[in-house]
Amino acid sequence: MTDPHAIQPSELDQLPDRDPEETAEWQASLDAVAKAAGPHRAAYLMRRTLERAEGTGVALPKLLETDYVNTIPTAAEPSVPGDEEMESRITAWNRWNAAAMVTRGSKYGVGGHIATFASAAWLYETGFNHFFRGKEADGSGDQLYIQGHASPGIYARAFLDGRLNEAHLDNFRRESGGDGLPSYPHPRRLPWLWEFPTVSMGLGPLSAIYQARFNRYLTHRGVKDVSAAHVWAFLGDGEMDEPESTAALALAAREELDNLTFVINCNLQRLDGPVRANFKIVQELEAQFRGAGWNVIKTLWGSAWDELFQLDTTGALVRRLREVPDAQVQTYQTRDAAYIRQDFFGADPALVEMAKLLSDDKILECFHFSRGGHESRKVYAAYRAALAHKGAPTVILAQTVKGHTLGAGFASKNANHQMKKLTVDEFRTMRDLLGLPIADSAFTDGQVPYAHPGADSPEVRYLQERRAALGGPAPARRVHPVAPLPASADKAFAAFDKGSGSQNVATTMAFVRLVKDLVRDKETGKRWVPIVPDEARTFGMESLFPSLGIYSPKGQTYEPVDRDQLMYYKEAKNGQILNEGITEAGSMADFIAASTAYSTHGEPMIPFYIFYSMFGWQRTADQMWQLGDQLGRGFLIGATAGRTTLTGEGLQHADGHSPVIAATNPAALTYDPAFAYEVAAIVKDGLRRMYGEAAPGEDPNVFYYLTVYNEPLPQPAKPAGLGVDEGIVKGLYRFNTAESAGLTPAANAPRIQLLGSGTAIHWTLQAQKLLAEEWGVAADVWSATSWGELRRDALEADAALLRGEERVPYVRQALQGAEGPVLAVSDYMRQVPDQIAQWVEQDYTSLGADGFGLSDTRDAARRHFGVDAQSIVVAALAQLARRGEVKATAVKEARERYGL
């Protein structure tokens, strides 16, 4: 394994050696110490020497940084195979059409970004021409995380190779007509092209790391050998400020993910201005990645700089490059040669002498245009070195100019991220710079034309031949035909129908027991991917450790402290459980990779991610939107759910709102099951819909969010009768009536319908009994397994009515003919059950746990929020009193009796 912290000899080769003999003497002295006293003594002396140098003011890079020069010197660069001139022409066409697309769209006010792809064009084109493997070889190919703001350049390339036409480009960011192109990489909007959503910023790098890690997981577990797949993540230097961007760097290095390469486009600019105005972002990133254990390749300067480095016999040039802050480098991009001579070269007498040997044109060529990220040879060398490096992931820091080739009005301007168009004159200048054969007459009515060399042109044939040799078009998303997974044995689900008898069981434990049975299934058991963020014991999952094993690419290199126990901590190279430590973000990234394996690798996997419900949607909702955009499938399990059910933890842990957040996501099917048999029925239906035979009109590209509770309670048997299974899945069914509960109300007793979800149904059942025995009120109890699905169905019914179709919402059908008012109860804020209020024909009100959580017993917390059985009784009586069905004094009497 190459030490990623080591200063590579190639970096030193970039600088002329004024005294090779002296250098050799120092090296010989170090070799002699290492031989005589050992490498540890040699390392000790080197550290002390560096400390001495720093203390005496000798200008040295920090230990985790190298000089501000290319890692790979020009002499070590391999030649680029293929036709560099042809690739240059292809890149020119793509630059043009990317800019034309955004400019033409600007008349509609839809926005777009020109400058990002202009800076990164060669970073992509070099990869597409020589490195990025397509999916027509082994079905997986490479995984490409494209920087979101560069999407116009990717569309331009797809236009050149015939996958898009002018109508598509003209509908960039205008999707409602059917031929539109989404603003950024959105698989749900353009599922044949985009594989990974990379906006919001920061989610791309995090997901890329866990995708590379999941590729190893699939290979090590023997599901599919995807060791040839390489993950490429294209990022912006400003994007690296997002905490998610660097959250998992240590994981990638620790697990030696050499199947991963980050390419960071260091154009030194973010949205409003310089990334590090007074500092150097490249040096900062180098230190950060080296410190985390990555291999770092800097590709900073183009070939025009070679002459300057050869003239730098004193090291003054390298010192000056290291000290000039990024904002000043950006300024040089916009100033004339006289300014650069004075400000840059004038800072050191040796540089003044060097500048005398340089023409103004040479200075402008270096400071305005010549960046390593703009030359295919430099980029090719970096990519090849990245793939050759083993034992650690690689990051390529490629310096570019934001707005390159777009003209002086764009290049390095602080506002260029918000600049959406070029003038016709600017396009003519760009045409001449790129050498494109576009006649002035093509600019009709002031409109910039799209340009294409022809379907049978040398450029298009070359592009398509290169892609064919690499395994087909890229980027591309493929869903290979895969037979539906066989249904798991019914007995695994039916075991919960009979209830738990006298044993109290939490629904969290019911879910874990169900999974333990499902992972034993001979057909589908290996496809389950249990994911947990260092809380397996909290959720009762430690029994899975020895049977499934915790995935580790190193296996288990130690003897666990609990090896003599039945449920010992077992790590294994083929382990099935992904235990990510204390990182909900990392666990969600795992889930996204596993949930989309049906597309990425043609291997449907069944992930379930179990977490504190409070720290799921609250912390990682952005990733859950990413999951929905990526068309992921699987089960999210919000455990220790509810605002009053997790005792003692208090405000930060008391979840009273996750179903509200989940309800905002169109791909999330949100369930709040009350009983074990409901959990089993929902999981069974989810497996059918996502992995089996989806019904006509059902979208399999959804994910399920189930809230489960840690309160051990009696688990009843599933009620007999028609419609229970349908009601569980659709969101509502009648659990019992006052009569079936054995409460024998009077014939003319007032009646109310009590709807409860999750753990709240237990308080509702207590209230049902109190209402009958103490107040002569008959209450029917309904289990509302999903307020969200009831609302979704009702919204679809409303939309159908607007189309002239007669359709009654399911919630209205279910409650049709139910006597009396409706009172809905939840362990969440009232906004959760109130989702269905407008479609309930009966008088409707609700109870919920609104406000901040608090630390106390469950009973005290429920009394505090007014959702315990006695509070339900008072609310029910108040509702009936308003209707004149009970005396108003009954409400006051109940409050006093129960101490409310």
Side-chain angles (χ1 to χ4, degrees), residues 169-242:
L169 301 192
D170 259 349
N171 284 304
F172 173 59
R173 293 196 170 200
R174 295 192 299 140
E175 299 178 75
S176 60
D179 288 330
L181 300 178
S183 53
Y184 302 125
H186 289 306
R188 188 170 285 275
R189 290 300 185 207
L190 203 62
W192 60 267
L193 180 72
W194 296 122
E195 192 167 21
F196 304 106
T198 51
V199 178
S200 302
M201 286 191 288
L203 299 189
L206 179 67
S207 288
I209 290 173
Y210 280 90
Q211 181 66 56
R213 201 280 193 107
F214 191 74
N215 291 354
R216 291 280 175 85
Y217 172 90
L218 288 178
T219 301
H220 289 161
R221 286 196 54 218
V223 176
K224 182 179 181 180
D225 184 357
V226 295
S227 55
H230 198 85
V231 178
W232 300 82
F234 289 84
L235 318 169
D237 48 359
E239 181 178 7
M240 300 311 293
D241 284 346
E242 291 283 5

Side-chain angles (χ1 to χ4, degrees), residues 96 426-436 438 440:
W96 177 273
E426 287 171 329
F427 266 109
R428 290 193 178 105
T429 301
M430 180 182 177
R431 171 200 62 189
D432 297 340
L433 176 65
L434 297 175
L436 291 172
I438 303 171
D440 285 344

Side-chain angles (χ1 to χ4, degrees), residues 101 134 169 199 251 347 366 387 441 491 530 538 588 617 633 639 696 832 843:
M101 179 193 325
L169 301 192
V199 178
L251 166 73
C366 289
L387 293 181
S441 59
K491 66 179 181 180
T538 302
M588 265 307 302
W617 286 90
R633 306 170 184 174
V832 174
D843 291 341

Side-chain angles (χ1 to χ4, degrees), residues 518-536:
L518 294 176
V519 296
R520 294 192 186 104
D521 188 278
K522 292 182 180 179
E523 296 289 337
T524 60
K526 71 175 183 179
R527 298 192 177 276
W528 283 88
V529 183
I531 303 168
V532 59
D534 198 40
E535 290 280 6

Side-chain angles (χ1 to χ4, degrees), residues 488-489 491-493 495-496 508-522 524-526 528-530 536 539-548 566-567 576-577 608 610 679 683:
S488 301
K491 66 179 181 180
F493 305 100
F496 296 89
T508 297
M509 291 309 304
F511 175 81
V512 172
R513 289 181 187 179
L514 174 63
V515 169
K516 287 172 66 176
D517 289 338
L518 294 176
V519 296
R520 294 192 186 104
D521 188 278
K522 292 182 180 179
T524 60
K526 71 175 183 179
W528 283 88
V529 183
F539 307 134
M541 291 175 58
E542 64 269 29
S543 61
L544 298 178
F545 288 169
S547 59
L548 301 184
L566 181 63
M567 293 184 289
Q576 194 163 349
I577 300 170
F608 77 87
I610 187 166
V679 172
V683 171

Side-chain angles (χ1 to χ4, degrees), residues 122-198:
W122 277 114
L123 303 180
Y124 292 107
E125 292 298 324
T126 304
F128 286 131
N129 288 327
H130 301 285
F131 292 96
F132 303 157
R133 296 170 60 254
K135 299 184 178 299
E136 294 177 1
D138 64 1
S140 291
D142 288 351
Q143 286 89 58
L144 308 180
Y145 288 78
I146 305 295
Q147 190 179 1
H149 293 139
S151 62
I154 308 305
Y155 291 141
R157 193 171 218 273
F159 170 65
L160 198 65
D161 72 10
R163 293 196 290 165
L164 294 175
N165 57 38
E166 288 194 12
H168 289 116
L169 301 192
D170 259 349
N171 284 304
F172 173 59
R173 293 196 170 200
R174 295 192 299 140
E175 299 178 75
S176 60
D179 288 330
L181 300 178
S183 53
Y184 302 125
H186 289 306
R188 188 170 285 275
R189 290 300 185 207
L190 203 62
W192 60 267
L193 180 72
W194 296 122
E195 192 167 21
F196 304 106
T198 51

Side-chain angles (χ1 to χ4, degrees), residues 382-663:
Y383 287 4
R384 205 174 84 165
L387 293 181
H389 187 86
K390 301 303 177 185
T394 293
V395 59
I396 296 169
L397 304 175
Q399 187 163 256
T400 65
V401 174
K402 194 167 187 178
H404 183 61
T405 73
L406 297 180
F410 257 87
S412 285
K413 293 299 177 64
N414 280 337
N416 61 18
H417 192 81
Q418 304 301 328
M419 297 162 68
K420 312 299 183 186
K421 60 184 178 180
L422 298 174
T423 67
V424 169
D425 286 342
E426 287 171 329
F427 266 109
R428 290 193 178 105
T429 301
M430 180 182 177
R431 171 200 62 189
D432 297 340
L433 176 65
L434 297 175
L436 291 172
I438 303 171
D440 285 344
S441 59
F443 294 84
T444 57
D445 300 323
Q447 176 84 301
V448 56
Y450 296 121
H452 198 290
D456 196 40
S457 65
E459 292 93 332
V460 173
R461 289 201 306 271
Y462 181 90
L463 181 155
Q464 294 175 342
E465 287 168 3
R466 293 303 308 141
R467 289 311 315 158
L470 288 165
R477 180 179 181 272
R478 297 284 187 270
V479 179
H480 299 275
V482 176
L485 295 182
S488 301
D490 278 339
K491 66 179 181 180
F493 305 100
F496 296 89
D497 289 352
K498 61 184 179 182
S500 63
S502 60
Q503 181 183 10
N504 288 344
V505 176
T507 50
T508 297
M509 291 309 304
F511 175 81
V512 172
R513 289 181 187 179
L514 174 63
V515 169
K516 287 172 66 176
D517 289 338
L518 294 176
V519 296
R520 294 192 186 104
D521 188 278
K522 292 182 180 179
E523 296 289 337
T524 60
K526 71 175 183 179
R527 298 192 177 276
W528 283 88
V529 183
I531 303 168
V532 59
D534 198 40
E535 290 280 6
R537 298 181 193 278
T538 302
F539 307 134
M541 291 175 58
E542 64 269 29
S543 61
L544 298 178
F545 288 169
S547 59
L548 301 184
I550 299 166
Y551 171 71
S552 169
K554 296 286 188 182
Q556 193 153 37
T557 61
Y558 60 92
E559 182 178 356
V561 67
D562 54 0
R563 182 63 181 87
D564 58 344
Q565 298 179 14
L566 181 63
M567 293 184 289
Y568 70 97
Y569 194 82
K570 177 185 175 183
E571 296 188 80
K573 193 170 183 177
N574 64 347
Q576 194 163 349
I577 300 170
L578 292 173
N579 191 324
E580 291 305 353
I582 305 174
T583 167
E584 286 84 5
S587 298
M588 265 307 302
D590 262 338
F591 187 89
I592 291 170
S595 70
T596 54
Y598 74 92
S599 168
T600 308
H601 296 299
E603 294 288 344
M605 305 299 286
I606 311 171
F608 77 87
Y609 164 36
I610 187 166
F611 51 89
Y612 265 70
S613 65
M614 182 69 167
F615 299 133
W617 286 90
Q618 175 168 296
R619 281 189 170 178
T620 55
D622 200 7
Q623 287 177 280
M624 290 161 183
W625 279 94
Q626 180 188 16
L627 165 67
D629 192 355
Q630 201 166 317
L631 290 81
R633 306 170 184 174
F635 297 95
L636 297 175
I637 311 300
T640 58
R643 181 150 280 162
T644 71
T645 305
L646 179 58
T647 55
E649 296 285 353
L651 184 151
Q652 280 294 330
H653 285 63
D655 173 21
H657 54 273
S658 70
V660 177
I661 306 174

